[in-house]
Amino acid sequence: MTAGGTPTGTERTGPDLSDMRFDDWVARWLPASWGPYARLCRLDRPVGTWLTLLPALAALVQAADGWPTLWRLVIFSLGALLMRGVGCTFNDIFDRDFDHRVERTRFRPLTSGQLTLRAALWFAAAQILVSASLLLAINAYSRWLALALMPLVVIYPLCKRYTYWPQAVLGAAFNWGMLMAWSDTRDIVPWTAVAMWFGAVLWQIGYDAIYAYIDLRDDRMLGLKSVAMRFGDQGKVWIGGMYAATAALWLAAGWGMGLDWPYYLVMAVIIAHFIWQMCVFDVRHPERGLRLFRSNMQVGVLLIAAALAGTVLRPWL
């Protein structure tokens, strides 16, 4: 096994892009029988969970016009963790016959034989059952929104078979908590909330496109589709356009919510971050996408900071 966690005898030239590591906290701290389940729901790779949670937390701040309740913070945090796990589990179930042929995914639990399909299905059902218990903690409007989310979570892995835009479905699902933050806090989803959500969807299409370029060669071989394949050599133009539209929607939504000027100051930092990503991104060097993809957690943190700056600081302005 190499230092990065790749089993010996399977080394490839170039950077190791595998998304499985076998020398991490899961291997060190969890019982061996738990490890494959933790990796199946990506507990070992929390970036996706943070990218699901952070926009929802920003929406909670905006909907509360300040600090949200601790109870909602707990419920939405658990919801992000659980639903991301459900989505990853279904993704690996549907893609199990493809993953062993893709450089990045060849060591995932299902495709590598660490888990059986039956075990994965039972695990998915258990996660859904625990997630359903959270419905008791939110209002009726939000429960209906939560139920509407499930089809998006399940069909996402199938979309890459039929459309170049599976990342759009993923973006809609990942950021659904932004809509639920408003429905649960105010029992309404105003246009400003929808604008913030749609901006987040475009943001995710952009950063997931950067990530998708890593798999571009494998996707072509397997006959799968992605926005990276649709964008081709014009990736920087497309992704830059997605980021520009995201910024425009978030600025417009902030104006519609009546957020104070510090919101726009932090938004300027977010826009600067988007520009930095486009300066670094190069379709000819997809390995750079890992760094850029992870850097979007900073955008999520800044989005929360912007929401707080536009609301909590109001009494001192």
Side-chain angles (χ1 to χ4, degrees), residues 152 156 159 163-176 197-198 200-202 204-206 208-209 226-227 231 242:
L152 295 178
Y156 159 69
C159 292
T163 175
Y164 288 108
W165 297 91
Q167 283 78 13
V169 178
L170 184 63
F174 250 53
N175 296 288
W176 201 256
W197 169 77
F198 190 50
V201 173
L202 296 178
Q204 180 153 356
I205 294 173
D208 265 348
S226 72
V227 288
F231 297 168
M242 295 291 175

PDB file of all heavy atoms in Angstrom, residues 152 156 159 163-176 197-198 200-202 204-206 208-209 226-227 231 242:
ATOM      1  N   LEU A 152     -35.133  13.435  -6.110  1.00  0.00           N
ATOM      2  CA  LEU A 152     -33.898  14.009  -6.636  1.00  0.00           C
ATOM      3  C   LEU A 152     -32.680  13.236  -6.146  1.00  0.00           C
ATOM      4  O   LEU A 152     -31.736  12.989  -6.906  1.00  0.00           O
ATOM      5  CB  LEU A 152     -33.780  15.477  -6.224  1.00  0.00           C
ATOM      6  CG  LEU A 152     -34.814  16.452  -6.787  1.00  0.00           C
ATOM      7  CD1 LEU A 152     -34.582  17.854  -6.231  1.00  0.00           C
ATOM      8  CD2 LEU A 152     -34.771  16.474  -8.306  1.00  0.00           C
ATOM      9  N   TYR A 156     -30.493  11.032  -9.130  1.00  0.00           N
ATOM     10  CA  TYR A 156     -29.252  11.664  -9.571  1.00  0.00           C
ATOM     11  C   TYR A 156     -28.283  10.691 -10.231  1.00  0.00           C
ATOM     12  O   TYR A 156     -27.776  10.967 -11.320  1.00  0.00           O
ATOM     13  CB  TYR A 156     -28.565  12.395  -8.422  1.00  0.00           C
ATOM     14  CG  TYR A 156     -27.091  12.604  -8.690  1.00  0.00           C
ATOM     15  CD1 TYR A 156     -26.667  13.490  -9.686  1.00  0.00           C
ATOM     16  CD2 TYR A 156     -26.107  11.882  -7.987  1.00  0.00           C
ATOM     17  CE1 TYR A 156     -25.314  13.661  -9.966  1.00  0.00           C
ATOM     18  CE2 TYR A 156     -24.762  12.051  -8.267  1.00  0.00           C
ATOM     19  CZ  TYR A 156     -24.361  12.932  -9.257  1.00  0.00           C
ATOM     20  OH  TYR A 156     -23.037  13.088  -9.544  1.00  0.00           O
ATOM     21  N   CYS A 159     -29.141  10.009 -13.819  1.00  0.00           N
ATOM     22  CA  CYS A 159     -29.150  11.119 -14.775  1.00  0.00           C
ATOM     23  C   CYS A 159     -27.917  11.119 -15.670  1.00  0.00           C
ATOM     24  O   CYS A 159     -27.984  11.507 -16.837  1.00  0.00           O
ATOM     25  CB  CYS A 159     -29.254  12.452 -14.040  1.00  0.00           C
ATOM     26  SG  CYS A 159     -30.836  12.714 -13.224  1.00  0.00           S
ATOM     27  N   THR A 163     -28.341  12.440 -19.543  1.00  0.00           N
ATOM     28  CA  THR A 163     -28.229  13.881 -19.745  1.00  0.00           C
ATOM     29  C   THR A 163     -26.833  14.361 -19.394  1.00  0.00           C
ATOM     30  O   THR A 163     -26.138  13.740 -18.573  1.00  0.00           O
ATOM     31  CB  THR A 163     -29.255  14.638 -18.882  1.00  0.00           C
ATOM     32  OG1 THR A 163     -29.043  16.048 -19.011  1.00  0.00           O
ATOM     33  CG2 THR A 163     -29.133  14.268 -17.426  1.00  0.00           C
ATOM     34  N   TYR A 164     -26.415  15.446 -20.030  1.00  0.00           N
ATOM     35  CA  TYR A 164     -25.127  16.056 -19.714  1.00  0.00           C
ATOM     36  C   TYR A 164     -25.207  16.913 -18.445  1.00  0.00           C
ATOM     37  O   TYR A 164     -24.200  17.497 -18.049  1.00  0.00           O
ATOM     38  CB  TYR A 164     -24.666  16.936 -20.875  1.00  0.00           C
ATOM     39  CG  TYR A 164     -24.225  16.154 -22.094  1.00  0.00           C
ATOM     40  CD1 TYR A 164     -25.006  16.138 -23.247  1.00  0.00           C
ATOM     41  CD2 TYR A 164     -23.044  15.429 -22.093  1.00  0.00           C
ATOM     42  CE1 TYR A 164     -24.607  15.420 -24.374  1.00  0.00           C
ATOM     43  CE2 TYR A 164     -22.638  14.711 -23.211  1.00  0.00           C
ATOM     44  CZ  TYR A 164     -23.436  14.713 -24.345  1.00  0.00           C
ATOM     45  OH  TYR A 164     -23.034  14.002 -25.454  1.00  0.00           O
ATOM     46  N   TRP A 165     -26.384  16.992 -17.826  1.00  0.00           N
ATOM     47  CA  TRP A 165     -26.583  17.914 -16.713  1.00  0.00           C
ATOM     48  C   TRP A 165     -26.920  17.207 -15.401  1.00  0.00           C
ATOM     49  O   TRP A 165     -27.773  17.687 -14.642  1.00  0.00           O
ATOM     50  CB  TRP A 165     -27.679  18.915 -17.056  1.00  0.00           C
ATOM     51  CG  TRP A 165     -27.328  19.773 -18.228  1.00  0.00           C
ATOM     52  CD1 TRP A 165     -27.605  19.531 -19.544  1.00  0.00           C
ATOM     53  CD2 TRP A 165     -26.594  20.998 -18.200  1.00  0.00           C
ATOM     54  NE1 TRP A 165     -27.100  20.528 -20.332  1.00  0.00           N
ATOM     55  CE2 TRP A 165     -26.469  21.457 -19.533  1.00  0.00           C
ATOM     56  CE3 TRP A 165     -26.039  21.761 -17.163  1.00  0.00           C
ATOM     57  CZ2 TRP A 165     -25.811  22.618 -19.856  1.00  0.00           C
ATOM     58  CZ3 TRP A 165     -25.376  22.934 -17.488  1.00  0.00           C
ATOM     59  CH2 TRP A 165     -25.270  23.349 -18.831  1.00  0.00           C
ATOM     60  N   PRO A 166     -26.297  16.085 -15.065  1.00  0.00           N
ATOM     61  CA  PRO A 166     -26.607  15.464 -13.767  1.00  0.00           C
ATOM     62  C   PRO A 166     -26.219  16.358 -12.598  1.00  0.00           C
ATOM     63  O   PRO A 166     -26.841  16.284 -11.528  1.00  0.00           O
ATOM     64  CB  PRO A 166     -25.758  14.178 -13.786  1.00  0.00           C
ATOM     65  CG  PRO A 166     -24.636  14.474 -14.722  1.00  0.00           C
ATOM     66  CD  PRO A 166     -25.246  15.344 -15.796  1.00  0.00           C
ATOM     67  N   GLN A 167     -25.209  17.209 -12.800  1.00  0.00           N
ATOM     68  CA  GLN A 167     -24.789  18.107 -11.713  1.00  0.00           C
ATOM     69  C   GLN A 167     -25.874  19.119 -11.363  1.00  0.00           C
ATOM     70  O   GLN A 167     -25.898  19.635 -10.240  1.00  0.00           O
ATOM     71  CB  GLN A 167     -23.493  18.815 -12.089  1.00  0.00           C
ATOM     72  CG  GLN A 167     -22.240  17.969 -11.958  1.00  0.00           C
ATOM     73  CD  GLN A 167     -22.041  16.990 -13.119  1.00  0.00           C
ATOM     74  OE1 GLN A 167     -22.699  17.084 -14.157  1.00  0.00           O
ATOM     75  NE2 GLN A 167     -21.118  16.067 -12.955  1.00  0.00           N
ATOM     76  N   ALA A 168     -26.770  19.408 -12.309  1.00  0.00           N
ATOM     77  CA  ALA A 168     -27.883  20.316 -12.002  1.00  0.00           C
ATOM     78  C   ALA A 168     -28.851  19.657 -11.024  1.00  0.00           C
ATOM     79  O   ALA A 168     -29.357  20.300 -10.089  1.00  0.00           O
ATOM     80  CB  ALA A 168     -28.614  20.710 -13.281  1.00  0.00           C
ATOM     81  N   VAL A 169     -29.117  18.353 -11.228  1.00  0.00           N
ATOM     82  CA  VAL A 169     -29.977  17.618 -10.308  1.00  0.00           C
ATOM     83  C   VAL A 169     -29.308  17.528  -8.940  1.00  0.00           C
ATOM     84  O   VAL A 169     -29.949  17.726  -7.897  1.00  0.00           O
ATOM     85  CB  VAL A 169     -30.272  16.209 -10.859  1.00  0.00           C
ATOM     86  CG1 VAL A 169     -31.131  15.417  -9.879  1.00  0.00           C
ATOM     87  CG2 VAL A 169     -30.960  16.308 -12.215  1.00  0.00           C
ATOM     88  N   LEU A 170     -28.010  17.241  -8.932  1.00  0.00           N
ATOM     89  CA  LEU A 170     -27.280  17.167  -7.678  1.00  0.00           C
ATOM     90  C   LEU A 170     -27.288  18.507  -6.956  1.00  0.00           C
ATOM     91  O   LEU A 170     -27.470  18.569  -5.734  1.00  0.00           O
ATOM     92  CB  LEU A 170     -25.839  16.731  -7.945  1.00  0.00           C
ATOM     93  CG  LEU A 170     -24.952  16.515  -6.717  1.00  0.00           C
ATOM     94  CD1 LEU A 170     -25.499  15.374  -5.858  1.00  0.00           C
ATOM     95  CD2 LEU A 170     -23.515  16.223  -7.136  1.00  0.00           C
ATOM     96  N   GLY A 171     -27.108  19.600  -7.701  1.00  0.00           N
ATOM     97  CA  GLY A 171     -27.115  20.930  -7.104  1.00  0.00           C
ATOM     98  C   GLY A 171     -28.459  21.275  -6.488  1.00  0.00           C
ATOM     99  O   GLY A 171     -28.525  21.871  -5.409  1.00  0.00           O
ATOM    100  N   ALA A 172     -29.535  20.895  -7.180  1.00  0.00           N
ATOM    101  CA  ALA A 172     -30.867  21.147  -6.638  1.00  0.00           C
ATOM    102  C   ALA A 172     -31.059  20.396  -5.324  1.00  0.00           C
ATOM    103  O   ALA A 172     -31.595  20.935  -4.348  1.00  0.00           O
ATOM    104  CB  ALA A 172     -31.932  20.738  -7.652  1.00  0.00           C
ATOM    105  N   ALA A 173     -30.607  19.127  -5.288  1.00  0.00           N
ATOM    106  CA  ALA A 173     -30.772  18.312  -4.084  1.00  0.00           C
ATOM    107  C   ALA A 173     -29.865  18.777  -2.953  1.00  0.00           C
ATOM    108  O   ALA A 173     -30.302  18.904  -1.799  1.00  0.00           O
ATOM    109  CB  ALA A 173     -30.484  16.844  -4.412  1.00  0.00           C
ATOM    110  N   PHE A 174     -28.601  19.049  -3.272  1.00  0.00           N
ATOM    111  CA  PHE A 174     -27.633  19.457  -2.252  1.00  0.00           C
ATOM    112  C   PHE A 174     -28.093  20.698  -1.504  1.00  0.00           C
ATOM    113  O   PHE A 174     -27.853  20.829  -0.303  1.00  0.00           O
ATOM    114  CB  PHE A 174     -26.285  19.749  -2.933  1.00  0.00           C
ATOM    115  CG  PHE A 174     -25.209  18.746  -2.631  1.00  0.00           C
ATOM    116  CD1 PHE A 174     -25.438  17.397  -2.823  1.00  0.00           C
ATOM    117  CD2 PHE A 174     -23.971  19.152  -2.188  1.00  0.00           C
ATOM    118  CE1 PHE A 174     -24.457  16.463  -2.566  1.00  0.00           C
ATOM    119  CE2 PHE A 174     -22.971  18.226  -1.917  1.00  0.00           C
ATOM    120  CZ  PHE A 174     -23.208  16.880  -2.103  1.00  0.00           C
ATOM    121  N   ASN A 175     -28.718  21.613  -2.220  1.00  0.00           N
ATOM    122  CA  ASN A 175     -29.047  22.914  -1.642  1.00  0.00           C
ATOM    123  C   ASN A 175     -30.515  23.042  -1.253  1.00  0.00           C
ATOM    124  O   ASN A 175     -30.970  24.147  -0.934  1.00  0.00           O
ATOM    125  CB  ASN A 175     -28.664  24.012  -2.641  1.00  0.00           C
ATOM    126  CG  ASN A 175     -27.167  24.037  -2.895  1.00  0.00           C
ATOM    127  OD1 ASN A 175     -26.382  24.454  -2.043  1.00  0.00           O
ATOM    128  ND2 ASN A 175     -26.753  23.572  -4.069  1.00  0.00           N
ATOM    129  N   TRP A 176     -31.234  21.935  -1.245  1.00  0.00           N
ATOM    130  CA  TRP A 176     -32.660  21.945  -0.915  1.00  0.00           C
ATOM    131  C   TRP A 176     -32.909  22.469   0.493  1.00  0.00           C
ATOM    132  O   TRP A 176     -33.958  23.059   0.781  1.00  0.00           O
ATOM    133  CB  TRP A 176     -33.215  20.535  -1.055  1.00  0.00           C
ATOM    134  CG  TRP A 176     -34.687  20.439  -1.247  1.00  0.00           C
ATOM    135  CD1 TRP A 176     -35.615  20.069  -0.319  1.00  0.00           C
ATOM    136  CD2 TRP A 176     -35.417  20.689  -2.454  1.00  0.00           C
ATOM    137  NE1 TRP A 176     -36.881  20.066  -0.868  1.00  0.00           N
ATOM    138  CE2 TRP A 176     -36.783  20.442  -2.180  1.00  0.00           C
ATOM    139  CE3 TRP A 176     -35.048  21.085  -3.734  1.00  0.00           C
ATOM    140  CZ2 TRP A 176     -37.771  20.590  -3.136  1.00  0.00           C
ATOM    141  CZ3 TRP A 176     -36.031  21.230  -4.701  1.00  0.00           C
ATOM    142  CH2 TRP A 176     -37.375  20.991  -4.395  1.00  0.00           C
ATOM    143  N   TRP A 197     -31.335  30.009  -3.531  1.00  0.00           N
ATOM    144  CA  TRP A 197     -31.224  28.579  -3.834  1.00  0.00           C
ATOM    145  C   TRP A 197     -30.770  28.359  -5.276  1.00  0.00           C
ATOM    146  O   TRP A 197     -29.848  27.565  -5.525  1.00  0.00           O
ATOM    147  CB  TRP A 197     -32.575  27.903  -3.597  1.00  0.00           C
ATOM    148  CG  TRP A 197     -32.650  26.493  -4.115  1.00  0.00           C
ATOM    149  CD1 TRP A 197     -32.111  25.375  -3.538  1.00  0.00           C
ATOM    150  CD2 TRP A 197     -33.313  26.051  -5.306  1.00  0.00           C
ATOM    151  NE1 TRP A 197     -32.391  24.257  -4.301  1.00  0.00           N
ATOM    152  CE2 TRP A 197     -33.126  24.653  -5.395  1.00  0.00           C
ATOM    153  CE3 TRP A 197     -34.040  26.697  -6.306  1.00  0.00           C
ATOM    154  CZ2 TRP A 197     -33.643  23.893  -6.446  1.00  0.00           C
ATOM    155  CZ3 TRP A 197     -34.556  25.949  -7.344  1.00  0.00           C
ATOM    156  CH2 TRP A 197     -34.355  24.563  -7.401  1.00  0.00           C
ATOM    157  N   PHE A 198     -31.366  29.054  -6.213  1.00  0.00           N
ATOM    158  CA  PHE A 198     -30.997  28.882  -7.619  1.00  0.00           C
ATOM    159  C   PHE A 198     -29.549  29.315  -7.842  1.00  0.00           C
ATOM    160  O   PHE A 198     -28.810  28.683  -8.602  1.00  0.00           O
ATOM    161  CB  PHE A 198     -31.940  29.669  -8.524  1.00  0.00           C
ATOM    162  CG  PHE A 198     -31.779  29.363  -9.984  1.00  0.00           C
ATOM    163  CD1 PHE A 198     -31.762  28.054 -10.439  1.00  0.00           C
ATOM    164  CD2 PHE A 198     -31.633  30.383 -10.905  1.00  0.00           C
ATOM    165  CE1 PHE A 198     -31.608  27.764 -11.785  1.00  0.00           C
ATOM    166  CE2 PHE A 198     -31.470  30.111 -12.254  1.00  0.00           C
ATOM    167  CZ  PHE A 198     -31.467  28.796 -12.702  1.00  0.00           C
ATOM    168  N   ALA A 200     -27.233  29.024  -5.629  1.00  0.00           N
ATOM    169  CA  ALA A 200     -26.430  27.935  -5.080  1.00  0.00           C
ATOM    170  C   ALA A 200     -26.386  26.743  -6.034  1.00  0.00           C
ATOM    171  O   ALA A 200     -25.360  26.051  -6.131  1.00  0.00           O
ATOM    172  CB  ALA A 200     -26.976  27.511  -3.720  1.00  0.00           C
ATOM    173  N   VAL A 201     -27.488  26.484  -6.742  1.00  0.00           N
ATOM    174  CA  VAL A 201     -27.503  25.404  -7.726  1.00  0.00           C
ATOM    175  C   VAL A 201     -26.481  25.686  -8.834  1.00  0.00           C
ATOM    176  O   VAL A 201     -25.693  24.808  -9.223  1.00  0.00           O
ATOM    177  CB  VAL A 201     -28.912  25.227  -8.323  1.00  0.00           C
ATOM    178  CG1 VAL A 201     -28.882  24.221  -9.477  1.00  0.00           C
ATOM    179  CG2 VAL A 201     -29.900  24.767  -7.253  1.00  0.00           C
ATOM    180  N   LEU A 202     -26.476  26.924  -9.338  1.00  0.00           N
ATOM    181  CA  LEU A 202     -25.513  27.289 -10.378  1.00  0.00           C
ATOM    182  C   LEU A 202     -24.083  27.240  -9.849  1.00  0.00           C
ATOM    183  O   LEU A 202     -23.162  26.814 -10.555  1.00  0.00           O
ATOM    184  CB  LEU A 202     -25.835  28.685 -10.909  1.00  0.00           C
ATOM    185  CG  LEU A 202     -27.176  28.833 -11.627  1.00  0.00           C
ATOM    186  CD1 LEU A 202     -27.403  30.284 -12.055  1.00  0.00           C
ATOM    187  CD2 LEU A 202     -27.265  27.907 -12.834  1.00  0.00           C
ATOM    188  N   GLN A 204     -23.029  25.206  -7.575  1.00  0.00           N
ATOM    189  CA  GLN A 204     -22.629  23.802  -7.501  1.00  0.00           C
ATOM    190  C   GLN A 204     -22.375  23.219  -8.884  1.00  0.00           C
ATOM    191  O   GLN A 204     -21.456  22.406  -9.047  1.00  0.00           O
ATOM    192  CB  GLN A 204     -23.683  22.971  -6.781  1.00  0.00           C
ATOM    193  CG  GLN A 204     -23.281  21.510  -6.705  1.00  0.00           C
ATOM    194  CD  GLN A 204     -23.870  20.792  -5.532  1.00  0.00           C
ATOM    195  OE1 GLN A 204     -24.544  21.375  -4.704  1.00  0.00           O
ATOM    196  NE2 GLN A 204     -23.603  19.499  -5.444  1.00  0.00           N
ATOM    197  N   ILE A 205     -23.158  23.591  -9.869  1.00  0.00           N
ATOM    198  CA  ILE A 205     -22.858  23.134 -11.226  1.00  0.00           C
ATOM    199  C   ILE A 205     -21.442  23.550 -11.600  1.00  0.00           C
ATOM    200  O   ILE A 205     -20.673  22.775 -12.195  1.00  0.00           O
ATOM    201  CB  ILE A 205     -23.875  23.702 -12.239  1.00  0.00           C
ATOM    202  CG1 ILE A 205     -25.268  23.123 -11.979  1.00  0.00           C
ATOM    203  CG2 ILE A 205     -23.442  23.382 -13.671  1.00  0.00           C
ATOM    204  CD1 ILE A 205     -26.360  23.748 -12.823  1.00  0.00           C
ATOM    205  N   GLY A 206     -21.063  24.779 -11.213  1.00  0.00           N
ATOM    206  CA  GLY A 206     -19.726  25.266 -11.520  1.00  0.00           C
ATOM    207  C   GLY A 206     -18.646  24.463 -10.833  1.00  0.00           C
ATOM    208  O   GLY A 206     -17.722  23.945 -11.486  1.00  0.00           O
ATOM    209  N   ASP A 208     -18.870  21.538  -9.326  1.00  0.00           N
ATOM    210  CA  ASP A 208     -18.919  20.121  -9.671  1.00  0.00           C
ATOM    211  C   ASP A 208     -18.389  19.868 -11.083  1.00  0.00           C
ATOM    212  O   ASP A 208     -17.880  18.776 -11.370  1.00  0.00           O
ATOM    213  CB  ASP A 208     -20.345  19.587  -9.546  1.00  0.00           C
ATOM    214  CG  ASP A 208     -20.607  18.932  -8.201  1.00  0.00           C
ATOM    215  OD1 ASP A 208     -19.616  18.696  -7.472  1.00  0.00           O
ATOM    216  OD2 ASP A 208     -21.766  18.646  -7.879  1.00  0.00           O
ATOM    217  N   ALA A 209     -18.526  20.866 -11.960  1.00  0.00           N
ATOM    218  CA  ALA A 209     -17.924  20.740 -13.287  1.00  0.00           C
ATOM    219  C   ALA A 209     -16.400  20.654 -13.170  1.00  0.00           C
ATOM    220  O   ALA A 209     -15.752  19.856 -13.856  1.00  0.00           O
ATOM    221  CB  ALA A 209     -18.328  21.920 -14.164  1.00  0.00           C
ATOM    222  N   SER A 226     -21.659  14.178 -18.356  1.00  0.00           N
ATOM    223  CA  SER A 226     -21.470  15.156 -17.287  1.00  0.00           C
ATOM    224  C   SER A 226     -21.401  16.534 -17.905  1.00  0.00           C
ATOM    225  O   SER A 226     -21.230  16.685 -19.129  1.00  0.00           O
ATOM    226  CB  SER A 226     -20.186  14.869 -16.501  1.00  0.00           C
ATOM    227  OG  SER A 226     -19.043  15.189 -17.278  1.00  0.00           O
ATOM    228  N   VAL A 227     -21.495  17.561 -17.067  1.00  0.00           N
ATOM    229  CA  VAL A 227     -21.378  18.921 -17.585  1.00  0.00           C
ATOM    230  C   VAL A 227     -19.982  19.170 -18.138  1.00  0.00           C
ATOM    231  O   VAL A 227     -19.810  19.964 -19.066  1.00  0.00           O
ATOM    232  CB  VAL A 227     -21.718  19.968 -16.501  1.00  0.00           C
ATOM    233  CG1 VAL A 227     -23.193  19.977 -16.200  1.00  0.00           C
ATOM    234  CG2 VAL A 227     -20.906  19.755 -15.239  1.00  0.00           C
ATOM    235  N   PHE A 231     -19.289  20.962 -21.559  1.00  0.00           N
ATOM    236  CA  PHE A 231     -18.518  22.201 -21.647  1.00  0.00           C
ATOM    237  C   PHE A 231     -17.281  22.033 -22.511  1.00  0.00           C
ATOM    238  O   PHE A 231     -16.869  22.969 -23.198  1.00  0.00           O
ATOM    239  CB  PHE A 231     -18.100  22.658 -20.249  1.00  0.00           C
ATOM    240  CG  PHE A 231     -19.237  23.010 -19.334  1.00  0.00           C
ATOM    241  CD1 PHE A 231     -19.003  23.192 -17.968  1.00  0.00           C
ATOM    242  CD2 PHE A 231     -20.532  23.156 -19.802  1.00  0.00           C
ATOM    243  CE1 PHE A 231     -20.040  23.512 -17.107  1.00  0.00           C
ATOM    244  CE2 PHE A 231     -21.583  23.481 -18.952  1.00  0.00           C
ATOM    245  CZ  PHE A 231     -21.332  23.648 -17.596  1.00  0.00           C
ATOM    246  N   MET A 242     -21.400  30.471 -14.808  1.00  0.00           N
ATOM    247  CA  MET A 242     -22.192  29.969 -13.679  1.00  0.00           C
ATOM    248  C   MET A 242     -21.897  30.772 -12.419  1.00  0.00           C
ATOM    249  O   MET A 242     -22.806  31.164 -11.676  1.00  0.00           O
ATOM    250  CB  MET A 242     -21.871  28.489 -13.431  1.00  0.00           C
ATOM    251  CG  MET A 242     -22.262  27.551 -14.545  1.00  0.00           C
ATOM    252  SD  MET A 242     -24.054  27.380 -14.711  1.00  0.00           S
ATOM    253  CE  MET A 242     -24.139  26.353 -16.191  1.00  0.00           C
TER     254      MET A 242
END
